[in-house]
Amino acid sequence: MAETGLIHHDDIVDDGKRDFIFLAAGAAGALGAASIVWPLLAQMGKAADTLALGSIDIDVGKIGEGEQLKVLWRGAPVFVRHRTAAEIAEAEDVNIDILPDPATDDSRLVPGPDGNLKPQYLVMVGVCTHFGCVPVGEAGDYDGWYCPCHGSHYDTSGRIRKGPAPRNLVVPPYAYTSDTVIKVG
Amino acid sequence: MSGHSTYEPKWAAARWMDQRLPIVRMGADFIMMPTPRNLNYWWTFGGILLLCLVIQIVTGVILGMHYVAHVDHAFDSVQRIRRDVPYGWLMQSTHAVGASMFFLAVYMHMFRGLYYGSYKAPREVLWIIGCLIYLVMMATAFLGYTLPWGQMSFWGATVITGFFGAVPVVGESLQQWLLGGYAVDNATLNRFYSLHYLLPFIIAALSGLHVWALHVTGSSNPIGVSNKVKTDTLPFHPYFTVKDMFAVAVFLMIFAFFLFYLPDALGHADNYIKADPLKTPPHIVPEWYFLPFYAILRAVPDKLAGILLMIGAIAVLFVLPWLDTSKVRSMRFRPIARWFFFIFVFFCFILGWCGAETPDDEAFLGLSFYRLSQISTLYYFAYFLVILPILGLIEDPKERPASITQSILDYGDKPEPEKVLAPAE
């Protein structure tokens, strides 16, 4: 040491200072890494144009009694069923305490412009809540829908009655913009 | 096994290279690995699997030159490959049939490992890397099956990505993040193509680790007794390269039979219908190599429980080295365990059968496929979680030969091998 004229720093080590620098550098590095990783992961989310395909208008007046319209919304089918009086009666006649996902038939409907419910029009996302297959209409043990993939039975209100699906068919956000036109999304 | 290097460069140029980058030495030492001389044909699937990976990568890169990953063009571009591209029919069929052959070979390889206790000490890491390879293989196969954009592609992708929707709280967000939208669509197809191209190279890297770990511990063998004396082993080359090549030739005959005579037999007819998000096929089934797991998924009426069971069916393989309490590797010397193993294989086939059928249909004697898959699932898990742990403690194994050399003493008129003093493990 003496020959080189350099100070030997081991004699004057400040351990506290070294720990601080180590932690500070590590924390800054971790933050930097996280800020890089976030865009790398977030790019996989829904793109702006996908989000923009938000809502569609459907004229329910054209659907005859006992018929069902199937429309593509956000890449998935939406069912609009014009239910018969018998189907409505069957849906209302269920003791909701026995349902896996309890819901009254009325709670699955939306009021029209006059403030009254329109029980004849049932609007649902036609995607089985099990693994996303499209259920078949007028089928199954409860006269509603039946999912061919894993055997889930839905009733005439689209409520799960039997099979592996955990929840009722989803009612999408929608509203009547006139007496016969609904806006989904 | 990492031992003394036997490579001697013959030419000046080889010596020059050896002093700068001993890559030839590495390869030469690698291929001269001392290998148990009693290996049977169940040990040839490693080489066959390497060939499968090469076939899939070569044909896959070629298909990538003609395939269009867009919902409007994907289906048609695959048909164009089959009809218009020169030899496209051969490339596409080889890739599609090759996937099935890959799984056929990997299942043989895995059953071999299960029967001969290849997962036991000191080969736990070797086994776990193998499980990882299998996991990535399944992901690759699933992603690849989506690409032709037929009805089974689309609905298979919908069902499988639906698994992620079952995760509590964040499920729906997670699922939509994976799909890049509200449902399986163009964004999904694009990213699946990107990942399908990436994962085989991950498999190649993992295979490198797998073989590296193999060279550290050495191959197991049919009697499960470690190498003890020099006469126990033979150099891998030429003895086992030649044996592997014969097995490869037989394997390729089976491959060629499907490729040229039944190219679509292992697929599903519905995948020749273009994907339609408004219409679900009446009967969604995965490819044959996923059927047992599909049956386990459907064996319980609860969505999340079904997924957890299916994941568990694969996860249990990773911890198998610590579940099997027996010190005896080969089931040849485990008179009770081997029968439980054969029943296990039987139930794997039953699960595959259940996966292909509709749950509510009757299998036989009034027993529905649903109940049958429940019974089989129960046995599948019992084998790993109850039978192997308990049996290892109570079973009385048969006497094992002291060495590989000892075990082949009776075989024919071979000269008397050197005496072995080491006791059986």
Side-chain angles (χ1 to χ4, degrees):
Chain A
M1 316 310 131
E3 302 91 68
T4 58
L6 294 172
I7 301 164
H8 201 252
H9 286 277
D10 280 353
D11 304 335
I12 49 166
V13 166
D14 182 345
D15 281 330
K17 194 173 176 182
R18 283 196 174 178
D19 287 349
F20 172 76
I21 293 170
F22 177 76
L23 284 173
L31 271 174
S35 65
I36 293 168
V37 167
W38 177 249
L40 293 179
L41 296 177
Q43 53 81 21
M44 279 176 71
K46 293 187 283 283
D49 61 338
T50 308
L51 288 166
L53 295 171
S55 59
I56 50 166
D57 291 321
I58 303 170
D59 186 353
V60 295
K62 287 181 180 161
I63 308 163
E65 189 174 330
E67 286 178 3
Q68 175 179 295
L69 184 71
K70 203 152 64 164
V71 194
L72 204 60
W73 174 68
R74 290 183 177 175
V78 165
F79 293 162
V80 186
R81 180 160 181 88
H82 188 156
R83 296 189 294 181
T84 63
E87 287 172 350
I88 297 166
E90 203 179 329
E92 287 173 344
D93 199 31
V94 174
N95 173 13
I96 65 161
D97 295 337
I98 61 158
L99 296 175
D101 182 9
T104 61
D105 189 49
D106 284 357
S107 72
R108 299 173 56 73
L109 302 169
V110 163
D114 58 355
N116 296 323
L117 293 176
K118 289 172 174 291
Q120 67 270 40
Y121 296 120
L122 181 66
V123 182
M124 303 180 299
V125 177
V127 171
C128 180
T129 56
H130 187 224
F131 287 130
C133 297
V134 179
V136 180
E138 291 171 45
D141 295 353
Y142 299 90
D143 306 323
W145 287 264
Y146 172 74
C147 182
C149 293
H150 305 98
S152 293
H153 300 256
Y154 297 92
D155 66 15
T156 56
S157 188
R159 291 171 296 201
I160 181 66
R161 301 297 291 272
K162 193 175 129 186
R167 283 175 290 115
N168 302 334
L169 288 177
V170 174
V171 176
Y174 75 100
Y176 285 89
T177 53
S178 78
D179 206 34
T180 56
V181 177
I182 59 168
K183 190 181 192 67
V184 181
Chain B
M1 267 186 254
S2 41
H4 181 68
S5 179
T6 55
Y7 172 70
E8 279 178 30
K10 288 194 181 67
W11 310 293
R15 262 192 302 281
W16 183 90
M17 188 65 185
D18 195 48
Q19 284 156 3
R20 285 156 181 82
L21 180 69
I23 191 167
V24 181
R25 174 182 298 277
M26 192 177 81
D29 291 344
F30 214 65
I31 209 159
M32 296 307 285
M33 176 171 85
T35 305
R37 65 192 307 156
N38 60 338
L39 294 191
N40 58 30
Y41 275 103
W42 288 98
W43 263 263
T44 58
F45 286 99
I48 287 171
L49 284 163
L50 176 67
L51 178 73
C52 286
L53 181 61
V54 170
I55 289 174
Q56 290 308 93
I57 290 180
V58 170
T59 53
V61 167
I62 290 169
L63 290 173
M65 297 178 184
H66 306 279
Y67 173 75
V68 185
H70 188 283
V71 288
D72 292 337
H73 306 292
F75 185 84
D76 295 336
S77 77
V78 174
Q79 290 310 310
R80 183 179 163 269
I81 289 168
R82 290 171 66 103
R83 291 153 196 267
D84 298 341
V85 174
Y87 291 100
W89 60 271
L90 184 62
M91 298 301 139
Q92 196 274 338
S93 301
T94 307
H95 199 69
V97 173
S100 280
M101 291 297 133
F102 207 157
F103 274 95
L104 177 70
V106 91
Y107 284 135
M108 299 289 229
H109 195 62
M110 289 165 77
F111 280 132
R112 190 289 315 275
L114 289 173
Y115 183 79
Y116 291 110
S118 303
Y119 48 85
K120 293 184 187 182
R123 297 184 183 82
E124 301 96 322
V125 173
L126 176 61
W127 170 262
I128 288 170
I129 296 168
C131 292
L132 275 176
I133 293 174
Y134 176 55
L135 202 61
V136 182
M137 266 180 74
M138 292 203 290
T140 311
F142 158 68
L143 294 169
Y145 195 58
T146 308
L147 303 184
W149 209 241
Q151 274 289 66
M152 279 297 165
S153 298
F154 182 90
W155 291 102
T158 298
V159 170
I160 304 284
T161 54
F163 295 172
F164 294 93
V167 176
V169 189
V170 294
E172 197 180 320
S173 312
L174 179 66
Q175 186 188 355
Q176 294 189 353
W177 173 73
L178 285 170
L179 296 176
Y182 299 100
V184 175
D185 211 331
N186 199 44
T188 319
L189 179 61
N190 262 298
R191 65 191 53 188
F192 277 20
Y193 182 45
S194 169
L195 293 172
H196 182 70
Y197 213 122
L198 165 73
L199 290 187
F201 298 98
I202 307 267
I203 295 177
L206 286 171
S207 303
L209 292 179
H210 195 61
V211 176
W212 184 9
L214 174 77
H215 280 248
V216 173
T217 63
S219 290
S220 183
N221 66 79
I223 63 167
V225 175
S226 301
N227 304 338
K228 297 222 172 71
V229 290
K230 202 166 175 301
T231 50
D232 284 352
T233 61
L234 292 167
F236 187 82
H237 179 74
Y239 293 94
F240 294 98
T241 41
V242 168
K243 184 167 181 164
D244 276 4
M245 270 158 68
F246 177 71
V248 160
V250 174
F251 179 78
L252 285 180
M253 282 166 69
I254 300 167
F255 196 134
F257 172 75
F258 278 104
L259 178 56
F260 295 113
Y261 294 95
L262 296 167
D264 290 322
L266 299 167
H268 198 290
D270 272 9
N271 225 28
Y272 282 101
I273 304 168
K274 197 171 173 174
D276 180 359
L278 288 175
K279 194 171 180 300
T280 305
H283 190 49
I284 297 185
V285 282
E287 292 278 84
W288 70 266
Y289 38 81
F290 291 143
L291 288 175
F293 298 105
Y294 194 56
I296 291 174
L297 170 78
R298 296 192 298 187
V300 282
D302 183 74
K303 176 171 163 177
L304 189 58
I307 294 166
L308 290 177
L309 266 188
M310 193 177 67
I311 295 169
I314 294 159
V316 75
L317 295 173
F318 281 83
V319 290
L320 175 60
W322 295 276
L323 290 174
D324 187 348
T325 49
S326 174
K327 293 278 173 274
V328 181
R329 292 198 189 99
S330 173
M331 294 240 181
R332 276 193 192 175
F333 306 104
R334 300 186 62 189
I336 308 172
R338 70 197 300 250
W339 285 107
F340 281 108
F341 171 81
F342 293 137
I343 297 169
F344 171 76
V345 176
F346 172 75
F347 274 115
C348 285
F349 280 96
I350 295 290
L351 278 171
W353 184 33
C354 292
E357 302 291 335
T358 308
D360 293 337
D361 287 355
E362 184 187 317
F364 51 81
L365 302 172
L367 191 69
S368 69
F369 281 106
Y370 181 63
R371 285 269 171 264
L372 189 60
S373 61
Q374 286 183 326
I375 295 165
S376 310
T377 302
L378 198 65
Y379 186 85
Y380 182 97
F381 283 99
Y383 178 74
F384 292 113
L385 300 175
V386 180
I387 295 169
L388 285 182
I390 292 176
L391 212 53
L393 303 174
I394 61 171
E395 187 183 35
D396 199 12
K398 284 198 251 181
E399 198 187 331
R400 282 155 290 153
S403 72
I404 293 169
T405 306
Q406 205 80 45
S407 76
I408 53 171
L409 277 180
D410 300 337
Y411 289 2
D413 52 358
K414 293 195 177 69
E416 194 175 327
E418 52 185 293
K419 287 278 183 288
V420 180
L421 295 169
E425 282 153 89

